[in-house]
Amino acid sequence: MYEGPIQDLIDELAKQPGLGPKGAQRIAFHLLAGEKSEIDRLIAALGRVRDDVIFCAECGNVAANRLCRICSDPRRDATKICVVEEPKDVHAIERTKEFTGRYHVLGGALDPLSGIGPDQLRIRELLRRLGNQADGIDVTEVIVATDPNTEGEATATYLQRMLKDFPGLSVTRLASGLPMGGDLEFADELTLGRALSGRRVLA
Ligand SMILES: [Zn+2]
């Protein structure tokens, strides 16, 4: 334990995922030893994340404007929607360069034990997108790319049940081969790309 502000900073940093007390301590002392301007830039970036991040009105991805970069790109195929848990999963799938459609970010996965049911996820928004043909384009495929773990599988099953009655819509799931129990973002591009191109229809 240190004294005063440096320990407060270590305590705050250590709460962040993927950063144990050792990593937190390393960052805290790095900041302490560095230029004051580096800390100013970090404070400014944190402030902007707190105040200025917008979520895309269409897909729920992080955005700089009302619509994210992908939803506002007319070259993206509007007939395919890839459903993911978190914005970081959009990033992971974009890295594979295998997908040219649009996304829908649920904001998590079904997890009844933690009180996360369908109403806590952006499922209603997905149904509205599928039912809303105002743009004249019918969605023909929903690719469920939730994480390969218990919650992700439960979410995929639930979505399949909700979407099975949409006419002309096929619901597909990433092929197996992703490390089970894992997180989409930890799969390498090649594995994730293969899982995407080998996706199968959920029946
Ligand atoms: Zn969007």
Side-chain angles (χ1 to χ4, degrees):
M1 288 291 274
Y2 298 92
E3 287 176 36
I6 196 78
Q7 186 61 44
D8 295 341
L9 177 58
I10 292 170
D11 290 344
E12 288 307 318
L13 287 171
K15 289 178 195 162
Q16 307 309 314
L19 206 65
K22 279 224 171 92
Q25 185 177 310
R26 194 160 157 233
I27 292 174
F29 280 100
H30 169 82
L31 289 168
L32 183 65
E35 298 285 333
K36 281 197 160 57
S37 62
E38 192 179 345
I39 295 184
D40 290 338
R41 283 197 302 276
L42 183 60
I43 292 171
L46 289 170
R48 286 198 304 275
V49 165
R50 183 191 57 204
D51 301 331
D52 298 342
V53 170
I54 306 170
F55 292 92
C56 174
E58 184 79 356
C59 75
N61 194 9
V62 288
N65 297 299
R66 201 184 77 83
L67 290 181
C68 73
R69 181 176 52 80
I70 295 168
C71 287
S72 49
D73 183 348
R75 290 166 301 181
R76 302 291 300 222
D77 183 356
T79 66
K80 291 185 173 62
I81 293 181
C82 181
V83 177
V84 296
E85 294 181 17
E86 307 283 352
K88 62 186 164 56
D89 302 322
V90 172
H91 188 67
I93 290 177
E94 284 296 283
R95 274 200 327 249
T96 70
K97 298 187 166 61
E98 289 277 337
F99 184 65
T100 55
R102 312 268 173 119
Y103 291 92
H104 190 86
V105 180
L106 293 173
L110 290 177
D111 186 4
L113 294 179
S114 307
I116 301 177
D119 289 345
Q120 277 69 48
L121 303 176
R122 298 183 64 256
I123 290 176
R124 215 174 303 122
E125 287 84 345
L126 175 64
L127 298 178
R128 199 179 306 136
R129 269 179 91 177
L130 294 172
N132 178 8
Q133 286 141 20
D135 53 3
I137 299 167
D138 283 344
V139 177
T140 55
E141 184 182 3
V142 166
I143 302 159
V144 183
T146 47
D147 285 343
N149 54 30
T150 316
E151 294 80 17
E153 292 300 330
T155 310
T157 306
Y158 180 83
L159 286 175
Q160 195 267 332
R161 223 169 53 226
M162 295 297 288
L163 301 179
K164 68 180 188 328
D165 294 330
F166 277 89
L169 179 71
S170 74
V171 181
T172 58
R173 176 91 174 107
L174 295 185
S176 46
L178 294 171
M180 188 62 195
D183 201 326
L184 215 60
E185 62 168 323
F186 297 132
D188 64 273
E189 280 118 87
L190 202 66
T191 309
L192 191 51
R194 277 205 203 108
L196 195 60
S197 55
R199 62 189 183 267
R200 60 198 156 73
V201 175
L202 278 177

